[in-house]
Amino acid sequence: MPENPYPFEPFKIKTTERIPITSREEREKILTDAKGNIFNVPARTITIDLLTDSGTGAMSDAQWGALVQGDESYAGSRSWEDLQATAQVVFGMPYILPAHQGRGAEHLLFTVLLDRDKKPVIPGNGHFDTTMGHIDWAGGTGVDCIGDWALDPESDYPFKGDIDPGKLRSAIKEAGVDRVPLVLITITANTAAGQPVSMKCICEVREVCDEFGIGLYFDAARFAENAYFIKEREEGMGDKSIAEIVTMMFEPVDGAVMSSKKDGLVNIGGLVVCRDKKLYRRLASMGTLFEGFPTYGGQAGRDLAALAVGLREVLHEEYLRWRIGQTYYLGKRLRDNGVPIVWPPGGHAIYLNISKILPDMPLSQYPGVAFQNAVYLDSGVRVCEIGSVMAGRDPETGEDRHPRLEFVRLAIPRRVYTQTHMDYVIESITRVYENRDKLKGVRFIYEPKVLRHFTAEYEEVEKEVSKT
Ligand code: F0G
């Protein structure tokens, strides 16, 4: 990446939304009322919202136009025909099935492909939490085969999302091939800080799958961002268009699930795509039961129309250059200010390395939550802990599960914020980082059993005064 890779926004702003500006005093009251849980803070009190890049993007004029032109038919609408034709070309797959969002698509694929009696095992490069949830739900277990290159948050390794083929082979042999119905590659790897997966890795994983006769699927939520990284970083790919790279990426796989809320550039929706007619038929029957008729899948016709446009727009190279450049800009400037982050910056988010920022705060005081809340109090910016609170408790022992590293994620909505917004975030994070020795940990005053991070309530823990 060049020193200052931040290109100008390749769009003009046609509609604006007022940003709430609050005082520190107001924010203190808001966070107290929210019982210290950033998920309980109303969006109308948030100045810059980096909670997620999912369903939070801005649509283009062409997408808004498509919304109006979209037609609403239960079966076989014009909007559906447009989406189907577009997705067939973009992904090179004959069968396209809409779902209400990514997890709806996961539900269909895993219920159809997993045989609970076999105790199935699904290797991947760090399944996303809903994906893991759906694998569990269908009676399976996820196994992480990401390479050791992902473990060093500071190395320059260009494709930290890559699966290690050696680990994959071992995982398949250990489980027994009969228990492995598919391998799932997430592009880009959200649980590995949005790091990309190389074309080389996709081909190697295909070879391993062929050795054992196993299907290969993508979790393709951020497929276009992944393609841009391949273009930028992988040898021999620089001259290809993003559309060509996407075609190459999908050629070796049997199908994919996708949350359209990311690289579909829409606010809701999901897809399953596949090559096999029999599989499609089974998916479509399940889809009719849980999502809706196979030509709308829980979405309005106009949503399908906007998604068709989004899937075409996301392939524009100047958009992706700006998008990946904006994430890089945020990460690089934070790093220049001394803030430890996962390097190199991924596609959709910057991950602060809280284990390095607050090494002395006990994990039982949830340092990620302490940092996240301090950022809100400082500036009204909402970021999100990805650490021990999110990991939850071990159902057997009841003890907290501690991930290898504690993170706070700054996920950037698409086409929403400008460079000056990023500067505001950088100043605030840097300020909180520089005053990190004043931060207080938290403890639960209410802790739900399932997905505790969404609804937990906290209070601050007073710092112990050193007796020396
Ligand atoms: N797969 C990946 C890689 C994801 O990042 C997500 C969602 C999903 C599947 C599920 O999709 O939300 O449409 O049902 N990620 C969001 C996030 C929630 O904030 O990273 P969904």
Side-chain angles (χ1 to χ4, degrees), residues 161-338:
D162 279 0
I163 283 184
D164 178 338
K167 283 194 192 181
L168 177 60
R169 261 192 207 94
S170 309
I172 297 170
K173 284 183 185 154
E174 195 175 313
V177 74
D178 197 39
R179 286 176 62 205
V180 186
L182 74 144
V183 173
L184 186 77
I185 308 180
T186 303
I187 49 173
T188 54
N190 190 5
T191 55
Q195 300 286 322
V197 174
S198 66
M199 199 56 232
K200 179 167 170 280
C201 165
I202 298 168
C203 295
E204 284 172 355
V205 171
R206 178 75 258 179
E207 279 172 25
V208 177
C209 289
D210 286 346
E211 263 170 58
F212 293 96
I214 295 172
L216 177 58
Y217 290 78
F218 278 148
D219 176 343
R222 300 176 179 87
F223 73 97
E225 291 171 8
N226 199 86
Y228 185 80
F229 281 115
I230 289 179
K231 182 178 169 76
E232 281 282 290
R233 297 184 182 171
E234 200 159 346
E235 225 186 298
M237 304 300 272
D239 292 339
K240 302 198 188 308
S241 71
I242 298 295
E244 283 168 338
I245 295 173
V246 171
T247 306
M248 286 178 74
M249 281 162 46
F250 277 78
E251 232 160 43
V253 302
D254 299 293
V257 283
M258 176 175 171
S259 164
S260 314
K261 300 168 74 175
K262 287 82 166 171
D263 277 353
L265 301 180
V266 290
N267 304 112
I268 194 71
L271 289 176
V272 192
V273 302
C274 67
R275 293 190 193 286
D276 182 60
K277 190 170 185 175
K278 276 196 203 130
L279 173 63
Y280 167 76
R281 285 188 160 157
R282 291 172 68 201
L283 291 165
S285 302
M286 282 288 293
T288 310
L289 196 56
F290 286 100
E291 301 287 316
F293 190 73
T295 66
Y296 73 84
Q299 296 181 67
R302 57 179 174 274
D303 294 333
L304 303 173
L307 174 57
V309 179
L311 286 177
R312 297 193 286 265
E313 282 182 358
V314 81
L315 303 177
H316 293 175
E317 197 175 323
E318 68 275 21
Y319 157 70
L320 286 168
R321 186 179 305 116
W322 167 78
R323 164 78 177 155
I324 302 297
Q326 182 179 50
T327 308
Y328 184 85
Y329 175 83
L330 175 61
K332 173 82 165 59
R333 285 212 44 211
L334 285 171
R335 194 197 204 205
D336 289 348
N337 289 352

Side-chain angles (χ1 to χ4, degrees), residues 51-54 101-103 106 128 130-131 186 190 219 221-222 259 261-262 269 409:
L51 185 66
T52 179
D53 65 317
S54 181
Q101 62 181 89
R103 62 202 75 181
E106 289 164 356
F128 183 65
T130 59
T131 318
T186 303
N190 190 5
D219 176 343
R222 300 176 179 87
S259 164
K261 300 168 74 175
K262 287 82 166 171
R409 184 178 81 166

